[in-house]
Amino acid sequence: DLLDRPIRVACAGDSLTLGESGGVSPGDDYPTQLQQLLGNENFVVHNYGLRSVTAIRGLQDSYDRTREFQNSLEFDGDIYLLML
């Protein structure tokens, strides 16, 4: 049952999600900040960010061709945030 365990949040996306763009300091990426805001008791947030990817399917650098994408699906999150 959803209420008997922490809610799982998968954060998938590009370098902004990963935390390697826009002058973001280590540990200041949005998935880490989201985990801090939501707390550890009721939420588990995982970061599946990857630099240099696109949302356009069929290209060499398409996010849906990456291991991070597959890992995010296998995480089986209750909430899936995609930022590309």
Side-chain angles (χ1 to χ4, degrees):
D1 186 44
L2 184 61
L3 299 177
D4 293 335
R5 63 173 176 75
I7 295 171
R8 299 164 62 85
V9 182
C11 298
D14 58 15
S15 58
L16 290 173
T17 302
L18 184 60
E20 292 188 350
S21 183
V24 176
S25 301
D28 285 340
D29 54 273
Y30 92 81
T32 299
Q33 291 183 27
L34 182 61
Q35 180 70 73
Q36 291 170 352
L37 287 169
L38 296 173
N40 293 324
E41 187 173 326
N42 297 314
F43 292 89
V44 175
V45 178
H46 279 258
N47 187 338
Y48 295 101
L50 182 65
R51 75 178 89 128
S52 301
V53 293
T54 181
I56 300 171
R57 291 182 137 186
L59 299 178
Q60 182 67 27
D61 57 353
S62 297
Y63 185 76
D64 66 340
R65 292 180 160 199
T66 68
R67 185 71 207 145
E68 285 76 9
F69 176 68
Q70 291 306 313
N71 289 342
S72 72
L73 296 178
E74 291 168 10
F75 176 64
D76 194 28
D78 302 302
I79 299 170
Y80 194 94
L81 302 175
L82 178 62
M83 187 164 112
L84 288 171

